[in-house]
Amino acid sequence: EVQLVESGGGLVQPGRSLRLSCAASGFTFDDYCMHWVRQAPGKGLEWVSSITWTGHNIVYADSVKGRFTISRDNAKKSLYLQMNSLRREDTALYYCVKDMDATGIAADGYFDYWGQGTLVTVSS
Amino acid sequence: DVQMTQSPSSLSAFVGDRVTITCRASQSVNNYLNWYQQRPQKAPKLLIYATSNLQSGVPSRFSGSGSGTDFTLTINNVQPDDFATYYCQQSYISPRTFGQGTKLEMK
């Protein structure tokens, strides 16, 4: 059974940093692209960042570019999101998401498994 | 990035009704359009991929159609479990962008 378990969320002041983690199990982690998707309270889904199976290709949403860093440790079957210079508008539930594809750019791709999310609240 | 626009933003229906949700892309995404269902306080779940392919375990009352820029999700004989928010997502052009969601509520 595929499981994605996020951790690391919490209350943080604007301008500070936070690191999210996602522990994966039930599939061959290093075969797949992984993503972070967030959802602000009462709002829709916003894709945040993607990292290919090798970790060599990384993409960010414009809203987080230069502030967030995605990474992965295939040996530990873990995905990470380092979030710096946090803003109030980064407040959201952050989901760890598995792609059905290794690269994340297959035209017929989709997100086939989601974690339950970890809540990040940016407030003074 | 490709912009995805869903309509309506919300709709209400009775159990047993047939409902249709539309999704429009700002440019052609061929037939690479996915649908997700998000029940309250739950993570999204893949329903349909590549316009019309049901994910394993999804009931056959769900169907998808369309191509190019215009797509629809249809739910026949709406069941109590179906009251949720639905999101479309294009996968043709990276990044895989989402629509803003359509909330289906019980009438």
Side-chain angles (χ1 to χ4, degrees), chain B residues 7-69:
Chain B
S7 61
S9 296
S10 65
L11 74 159
S12 58
F14 291 106
V15 171
D17 280 353
R18 178 176 185 260
V19 301
T20 298
I21 297 168
T22 65
C23 177
R24 174 165 287 176
S26 59
Q27 64 188 87
S28 176
V29 296
N30 204 322
N31 71 329
Y32 299 119
L33 192 285
N34 309 316
W35 291 97
Y36 298 84
Q37 176 194 62
Q38 186 178 32
R39 296 189 175 114
Q41 311 307 317
K42 297 292 187 183
K45 173 185 123 173
L46 176 69
L47 281 182
I48 290 173
Y49 61 94
T51 297
S52 58
N53 297 279
L54 261 60
Q55 175 69 337
S56 175
V58 174
S60 59
R61 62 179 179 274
F62 291 91
S63 64
S65 63
S67 67
T69 60

Side-chain angles (χ1 to χ4, degrees), chain A residues 7-124:
Chain A
S7 60
L11 175 62
V12 61
Q13 292 179 329
R16 304 299 290 263
S17 299
L18 209 57
R19 188 191 194 211
L20 306 184
S21 300
C22 170
S25 61
F27 66 102
T28 307
F29 183 73
D30 51 5
D31 276 353
Y32 296 96
C33 176
M34 297 294 294
H35 310 268
W36 289 100
V37 174
R38 69 185 181 183
Q39 186 170 34
K43 302 296 184 183
L45 302 172
E46 180 189 14
W47 167 82
V48 172
S49 183
S50 303
I51 184 167
T52 58
W53 64 293
T54 59
H56 292 164
N57 293 93
I58 287 172
V59 190
Y60 297 100
D62 287 344
S63 58
V64 306
K65 201 174 294 182
R67 301 187 298 122
F68 288 12
T69 302
I70 191 172
S71 61
R72 65 190 295 161
D73 185 332
N74 286 344
K76 294 184 177 178
K77 299 183 181 181
S78 293
L79 177 71
Y80 305 101
L81 187 67
Q82 177 67 41
M83 304 186 295
N84 298 333
S85 303
L86 282 161
R87 305 168 179 168
R88 286 183 174 80
E89 55 266 34
D90 296 319
T91 293
L93 187 63
Y94 284 73
Y95 291 106
C96 170
V97 183
K98 174 186 170 294
D99 202 287
M100 53 73 71
D101 177 58
T103 65
I105 58 172
D108 60 348
Y110 47 83
F111 296 171
D112 56 359
Y113 291 96
W114 299 62
Q116 288 305 303
T118 186
L119 182 62
V120 173
T121 304
V122 183
S123 175
S124 52

